[in-house]
Amino acid sequence: MSVTSILNNANSGLIAAQVQLRVVSDNVANVNTPGYVRKIADQVAMSSQGVGSGVEVVRIRLATDRFLQAASLTAGAESARNEVRYELYDRIQSLFGDPGGKTSFFAQVDGIFSAFASSAEDPTSSPRRQDALFKTQALFDEASRIAKQIQAVREDADGRIQSAVDKTNNLLAQIEALNVEITRAKVVNGDASGAETAQAALIDQVAQLMDIRITARPVGGVTIRTSAGAMLAGEGAATLSYTRAGTISGETNFNEIWINEPGGTKHALLDSVTSGEIKGLVELRDVEAPAAAARLAELITHVADELNRAHNANTAMPAPNRLDGRNVGQSLESALTGFTGRTTIAVTNPAGVIQQRVDVVFNGATMTVNGVAADPTTFLATLNAQLGGAATATFTDGKLSIAAANSANGVAIADDATAPSNKAGRGFSHYFGLNDLIATDRPALYDTGLTLASPHGFTAGQTMTFRFSNDVGARIRDIKVTVPPGGTVADLINALNDPATGIGGQGSFALAADGTLSFTGSGNPPAKMSVLNDTTQNAANISATELFGIGAGVRISRADGFSLRSDIRQSPAKLALGQLNLSAAAGTPALSAGDGRGALALADAGERTTSFQPAGGSPGGSISVSRYASELAGEIGGNATTAKNRKESSAALYTEATARRTSHEGVNMDEELVLMTTYQQAFNASARLIQTARDMYDTLLGMV
């Protein structure tokens, strides 16, 4: 080996040792830098014609383990998903209060029934009446507040989705820019480790927003795809697009989140991700919060309905001068058809003595009024004729009203004790809401009592637009259905279920015996349906979706529409705490001021078994209001606990995955100290070799 070769070998060693020392120096300097990945300089031996010719550093790379990185990114996405779900669901749970506390929402439900029980002990006590009414109004005010706050949580989630989309776009653009920088450095065999470290930190941030898959590019840098394979970066940066909804209510349909790939292909983001913060926000906004709101709406609707059932079966003393019903969303003829049993409408004087009495016997499509035959089309005229001018019944905009002619008299209604009037489980007064205690600004009961032969009341050509989504919330398609020329409910359902012009390809509608219209999605998992637009309107100014409760949105919106009837709130004496005595002898009072049977009925309303509709994952069924409230309290608390456990479990898994990744990628001061000593010695050895070669060269020159 020549002296020149020795010098070249020593020089290569000197240069390699300098590079190694610089790498070690960078590692030590960044020992406490978050996200810093340890650098490694790959050193190889050089040879020429089989003879060693020194060493060189062929590249400087990061100490990255792709498997540990993938595990950490996956765990991080799942942790972020469960973290945000717990954070927002915990807010929802806090709205209801401690389920076991005395001031919680569920305690208020029990409180109103207890207050009415107290009123029954002394029906003439104004303070007890006022207390019962105060607690009743407070419950419905609280339900309205909670419903609105749940929508506020959804609005917060929607805003955070928009922020996450904007953040993702910014991160992807930076990652793609670093791809270019890394590739440029690789081409000239430069040090790209700084850009790679910065890129790794950005990738970690993207993985918190959505689950991703990372692959290294041969030319340097990375390719990023969603778990379903949609391109995010590597061949240009993809962009996510999302437009926020406006004012959010239970009926809001949110816009799709799109991935616009560099090549122009467009994908629904929800089809491409299974975890991450965006996924968690969407699940909370579109599944968990609406489920809680739907259960609340179903509960508060039946609290109102059972209180109204008891109140309609009773009357105040003296009886109110007029009874104004609620909008039943139908024509009078349609609403009357299907009634069975007997009811009595009485006009009483201030002392409670009956001045005029009308007994109505229902028999499906016919009826008698004081023995006079009638049908739904002639009922109103026949009733007014039998009232003999003592009172007048009218039907306008879906509402039945009965008013006494003499301002001093009142109107009271009572069902026969052995054969009470009935349609869809409600008596005559209850069905029309003639003496409701709780008023609502929209239809709230969807067991309409309609049959397939009933007229639906909507005009041909009016339309409803439905949106169908898959199990992850991505849109399948939107379908517009037109009201057909036929006027029966059967015609409407057939048009809805038509495979060509209706929603038949996505599921089907069916009418139950009580007039409830339900939708069943097809496929596995079944498609989910929501209502985008509804232009239908009948003579009662009610749309088809409002009448039948089509879609979860319109059902959720019920919760903030209930309130104590204004005239009773202003005058507690109008509270119906007594019953009309149909057996009272002529000229004797049929009403008594000390009668507390109505108060007992109101107190027992919470224990009466009633039929709940499916809501928020609950199958519904026959259960009491109090039991339903208890189950909802347990469900809300259980869901919050489950969300917390998932958050803690996924956070622990992420911590472990990150710790293992950090132990491999992070800087170990002991190891770096050993390496620094090693390369210092290598540097010194190379320098000594150069000095020795120089001495040899000087000696040889001196010998010449």
Side-chain angles (χ1 to χ4, degrees):
M1 178 179 292
S2 67
V3 176
T4 302
S5 297
I6 294 173
L7 284 170
N8 288 337
N9 284 350
N11 187 57
S12 68
L14 195 70
I15 294 172
Q18 286 178 321
V19 173
Q20 293 282 14
L21 286 169
R22 186 174 68 249
V23 169
V24 171
S25 177
D26 286 347
N27 288 341
V28 172
N30 289 280
V31 64
N32 292 320
T33 302
Y36 179 79
V37 182
R38 175 170 51 91
K39 296 180 183 179
I40 298 176
D42 289 334
Q43 182 175 306
V44 298
M46 296 186 296
S47 63
S48 177
Q49 297 180 350
V51 179
S53 58
V55 295
E56 68 172 341
V57 175
V58 292
R59 64 171 178 167
I60 299 174
R61 61 181 176 85
L62 302 181
T64 301
D65 185 295
R66 294 298 179 187
F67 295 103
L68 290 176
Q69 182 190 43
S72 177
L73 295 180
T74 300
E78 188 65 12
S79 178
R81 172 194 178 196
N82 288 318
E83 172 72 29
V84 72
R85 287 172 65 186
Y86 168 70
E87 175 194 341
L88 294 178
Y89 199 86
D90 188 56
R91 284 175 54 186
I92 292 176
Q93 187 212 18
S94 67
L95 296 174
F96 290 92
D98 180 4
K102 295 183 179 180
T103 59
S104 72
F105 172 76
F106 303 105
Q108 291 184 50
V109 174
D110 294 332
I112 62 172
F113 300 124
S114 298
F116 282 118
S118 178
S119 294
E121 297 175 4
D122 186 2
T124 61
S125 172
S126 180
R128 293 192 179 191
R129 288 174 179 246
Q130 289 176 337
D131 180 61
L133 294 178
F134 173 79
K135 289 180 177 178
T136 301
Q137 183 61 57
L139 174 69
F140 288 98
D141 287 346
E142 184 68 359
S144 177
R145 182 192 70 83
I146 293 173
K148 291 175 181 176
Q149 286 301 310
I150 290 176
Q151 301 313 317
V153 171
R154 298 182 73 200
E155 188 170 4
D156 182 20
D158 192 53
R160 292 173 66 172
I161 290 172
Q162 179 68 73
S163 298
V165 166
D166 294 340
K167 182 178 180 180
T168 301
N169 287 334
N170 183 44
L171 291 171
L172 293 177
Q174 293 182 65
I175 289 170
E176 190 59 33
L178 288 170
N179 268 342
V180 175
E181 185 177 334
I182 293 168
T183 300
R184 187 182 297 117
K186 296 289 186 181
V187 169
V188 298
N189 202 30
D191 182 4
S193 59
E196 289 174 333
T197 300
Q199 189 179 67
L202 296 174
I203 291 172
D204 287 346
Q205 294 183 57
V206 174
Q208 293 287 308
L209 299 170
M210 66 181 76
D211 53 314
I212 55 177
R213 293 190 287 114
I214 309 296
T215 55
R217 301 193 311 173
V219 295
V222 296
T223 296
I224 304 178
R225 295 180 181 273
T226 64
S227 57
M231 177 67 71
L232 295 176
E235 298 176 2
T239 56
L240 274 59
S241 57
Y242 177 65
T243 303
R244 287 191 63 187
T247 301
I248 293 178
S249 69
E251 299 176 66
T252 299
N253 281 280
F254 296 94
N255 296 311
E256 195 80 73
I257 307 173
W258 296 103
I259 301 174
N260 303 288
E261 290 189 341
T265 307
K266 195 173 183 180
H267 299 278
L269 177 68
L270 297 181
D271 280 335
S272 300
V273 298
T274 59
S275 60
E277 182 179 322
I278 293 177
K279 179 69 173 179
L281 289 168
V282 169
E283 288 175 328
L284 188 285
R285 184 196 68 182
D286 296 349
V287 179
E288 291 162 340
R295 292 294 303 275
L296 170 64
E298 187 68 11
L299 169 62
I300 206 66
T301 294
H302 281 277
V303 171
D305 190 43
E306 291 309 310
L307 289 175
N308 285 339
R309 183 190 303 277
H311 205 259
N312 274 281
N314 297 282
T315 184
M317 173 56 190
N321 178 252
R322 60 180 299 122
L323 299 177
D324 291 310
R326 63 173 176 272
N327 190 343
V328 295
Q330 307 171 48
S331 66
L332 180 61
E333 293 78 7
S334 176
L336 287 171
T337 302
F339 263 105
T340 59
R342 303 174 181 176
T343 194
T344 297
I345 303 170
V347 178
T348 62
N349 65 16
V353 178
I354 295 177
Q355 305 299 297
Q356 184 72 17
R357 172 172 171 164
V358 176
D359 295 312
V360 183
V361 180
F362 295 101
N363 188 23
T366 61
M367 60 210 65
T368 61
V369 184
N370 276 350
V372 179
D375 60 40
T377 62
T378 61
F379 171 79
L380 199 63
T382 306
L383 175 61
N384 282 325
Q386 294 303 311
L387 286 170
T392 302
T394 57
F395 187 84
T396 306
D397 294 333
K399 300 176 183 179
L400 178 65
S401 297
I402 304 175
N406 188 331
S407 60
N409 290 341
V411 180
I413 299 176
D415 281 337
D416 183 83
T418 57
S421 62
N422 177 62
K423 180 178 180 180
R426 296 179 178 86
F428 174 77
S429 180
H430 184 201
Y431 187 90
F432 286 97
L434 290 169
N435 195 23
D436 278 353
L437 174 64
I438 309 300
T440 180
D441 59 356
R442 69 203 69 176
L445 302 168
Y446 305 122
D447 42 355
T448 61
L450 294 173
T451 66
L452 292 175
S454 300
H456 57 65
F458 302 104
T459 304
Q462 295 177 336
T463 61
M464 292 175 280
T465 304
F466 301 95
R467 168 164 292 175
F468 294 91
S469 306
N470 60 21
D471 60 317
V472 297
R475 184 179 63 179
I476 299 174
R477 62 180 300 192
D478 297 340
I479 299 176
K480 179 183 285 188
V481 181
T482 302
V483 175
T488 67
V489 172
D491 295 324
L492 179 62
I493 293 176
N494 289 337
L496 288 169
N497 291 339
D498 191 295
T501 60
I503 56 90
Q506 305 299 327
S508 62
F509 285 97
L511 190 72
D514 62 0
T516 302
L517 187 66
S518 60
F519 170 78
T520 302
S522 59
N524 187 22
K528 299 177 181 178
M529 181 269 294
S530 59
V531 180
L532 281 182
N533 188 37
D534 184 1
T535 66
T536 62
Q537 191 175 67
N538 60 17
N541 297 317
I542 299 298
S543 68
T545 53
E546 290 175 324
L547 177 62
F548 292 106
I550 301 176
V554 69
R555 292 173 178 254
I556 288 173
S557 298
R558 294 176 293 173
D560 61 354
F562 293 102
S563 62
L564 188 65
R565 210 173 79 194
S566 59
D567 62 325
I568 295 179
R569 185 169 61 246
Q570 294 168 5
S571 178
K574 294 183 179 180
L575 190 61
L577 299 186
Q579 289 184 1
L580 180 67
N581 182 9
L582 298 179
S583 301
T588 62
L591 296 176
S592 171
D595 188 359
R597 288 175 294 172
L600 288 174
L602 289 166
D604 292 340
E607 301 303 323
R608 184 185 181 281
T609 299
T610 186
S611 180
F612 283 85
Q613 298 292 317
S618 168
S622 296
I623 190 174
S624 71
V625 166
S626 295
R627 179 66 181 273
Y628 192 90
S630 297
E631 291 187 357
L632 177 56
E635 179 182 302
I636 294 292
N639 287 345
T641 300
T642 299
K644 182 179 181 180
N645 292 337
R646 286 176 177 171
K647 182 202 79 163
E648 292 175 348
S649 297
S650 58
L653 182 61
Y654 177 48
T655 299
E656 178 63 21
T658 302
R660 295 190 180 191
R661 179 182 175 187
T662 301
S663 68
H664 179 82
E665 297 180 349
V667 177
N668 185 302
M669 288 296 292
D670 292 336
E671 291 180 3
E672 297 302 324
L673 180 59
V674 171
L675 291 174
M676 180 175 290
T677 302
T678 300
Y679 294 130
Q680 283 176 339
Q681 292 175 348
F683 183 89
N684 292 336
S686 297
R688 289 288 300 276
L689 186 57
I690 291 174
Q691 182 62 45
T692 301
R694 176 182 176 183
D695 292 343
M696 289 175 61
Y697 191 75
D698 290 343
T699 300
L700 290 172
L701 287 176
M703 293 172 62
V704 176

